[in-house]
Amino acid sequence: MRKISAIFFTIICLAALLFSFSTWKEKIQAAGGQNAQPASAETQKNATKAAIEEPLPSLDVAALAANMDSNVRTVFLDRFEAGEKLQVLVVGSQAMDSGEPGYAELFLNDVADAYPDFVEADSMSFDGTSAAFLQEEVDLSVGYDVAVLEPFTLNNNGIVEIESEHEHIQEFAGRLRAEVGDAALVLHPPQPIYGAQFYLTQVKGLEEFALRQNYGYINHWTAWPETTDIGLKDYLTEDGSPAQRGAEAWASELNAYFIAN
């Protein structure tokens, strides 16, 4: 009888222990769940905050863009109002790198200072004609909003016809807009050359083409001596590339277009 009582008592104790353990475990899980909820909510909040880009700085883009052609200015304003970064590509002949530094670096440094945390820019130089350039696998997948193109006019001299150069510009613009539908193209000629002859016809044709096609155009030659002025040689190296004074003159006119004072 005593054995039966002892066994019965042991069973009751085990049952009580199991019940107490189960109850304790449920409380711990419940407490853990309550603590997890705020942590999860905080994590979500932080993730959402991280996904939102830092607000763009306070810039008067409308004033800075006052000298641009209307279609170029519109792209600048649209991106800024949308809170998006604006992607710029400077592309052209090897002349952009001539100087210490070349016009492209001078220009892009000033753009970075004028549009902090808004404009992101790349440059790309190519030593060849416009026809050869189009054969290159140029990566435009970044999605450039504005391209500043010196369309290899001097490199084309005596090799690529004026009309063909213009077709090449159109093809490049098409590739640009395949990535960004409203991308704007701004054209500018290469450096002037002392004693130039047919080259002047090419450059005049480029300006007229830009006007017909509603492309932006920067005539930076106004900052250089005339092609008949012996003083032009001070702006050029012996091989006709921009010297430091030439690079600075070129960059100053690009700045005047993109950064209104």
Side-chain angles (χ1 to χ4, degrees):
M1 184 68 180
R2 287 180 179 177
K3 287 183 178 180
I4 294 174
S5 297
I7 293 170
F8 182 74
F9 178 77
T10 300
I11 292 172
I12 291 174
C13 288
L14 288 172
L17 286 171
L18 288 171
F19 177 79
S20 297
F21 176 77
S22 177
T23 303
W24 173 80
K25 187 176 180 181
E26 288 177 359
K27 287 181 178 180
I28 291 297
Q29 289 177 337
Q34 289 174 352
N35 290 335
Q37 267 189 331
S40 177
E42 186 66 24
T43 300
Q44 281 187 330
K45 182 179 178 181
N46 289 338
T48 302
K49 185 178 180 181
I52 299 174
E53 291 186 7
E54 289 294 321
L56 291 173
S58 178
L59 293 173
D60 191 349
V61 173
L64 287 168
N67 294 339
M68 300 178 192
D69 291 280
S70 60
N71 58 328
V72 182
R73 183 167 58 250
T74 295
V75 173
F76 267 72
L77 292 175
D78 284 352
R79 299 300 184 274
F80 187 76
E81 290 169 2
E84 301 172 358
K85 298 291 181 72
L86 184 127
Q87 304 294 330
V88 172
L89 174 65
V90 178
V91 57
S93 71
Q94 69 279 15
M96 73 165 62
D97 303 318
S98 184
E100 296 179 2
Y103 81 76
E105 185 175 340
L106 289 169
F107 165 60
L108 292 180
N109 286 342
D110 289 336
V111 166
D113 290 340
Y115 298 94
D117 299 321
F118 173 48
V119 172
E120 295 181 344
D122 296 318
S123 63
M124 180 189 309
S125 64
F126 179 74
D127 185 7
T129 66
S130 57
F133 176 71
L134 290 180
Q135 299 302 314
E136 294 291 304
E137 294 183 5
V138 180
D139 184 8
L140 300 176
S141 62
V142 167
Y144 294 105
D145 302 294
V146 176
V148 185
L149 173 65
E150 180 260 283
F152 312 99
T153 306
L154 184 55
N155 289 356
N156 287 343
N157 187 269
I159 301 173
V160 176
E161 294 182 351
I162 294 176
E163 294 77 12
S164 296
E165 177 184 306
H166 297 171
E167 291 173 2
H168 298 157
I169 294 170
Q170 293 286 59
E171 184 172 342
F172 177 76
R175 295 181 187 181
L176 193 69
R177 288 169 180 163
E179 300 292 340
V180 178
D182 63 344
L185 182 62
V186 180
L187 301 176
H188 58 121
Q191 70 273 22
I193 296 297
Y194 178 68
Q197 296 180 12
F198 180 69
Y199 179 45
L200 300 179
T201 302
Q202 289 177 281
V203 171
K204 181 63 176 176
L206 177 64
E207 183 173 8
E208 293 172 348
F209 169 76
L211 181 63
R212 289 196 305 272
Q213 299 299 324
N214 197 32
Y215 293 139
Y217 188 79
I218 303 172
N219 179 18
H220 62 87
W221 282 25
T222 56
W224 304 65
E226 296 289 333
T227 57
T228 55
D229 185 343
I230 192 69
L232 178 58
K233 291 188 175 183
D234 295 333
Y235 288 68
L236 302 169
T237 63
E238 290 185 2
D239 67 356
S241 299
Q244 190 57 41
R245 291 183 69 180
E248 290 171 357
W250 199 332
S252 70
E253 293 304 297
L254 298 183
N255 287 345
Y257 181 93
F258 282 97
I259 309 168
N261 293 325

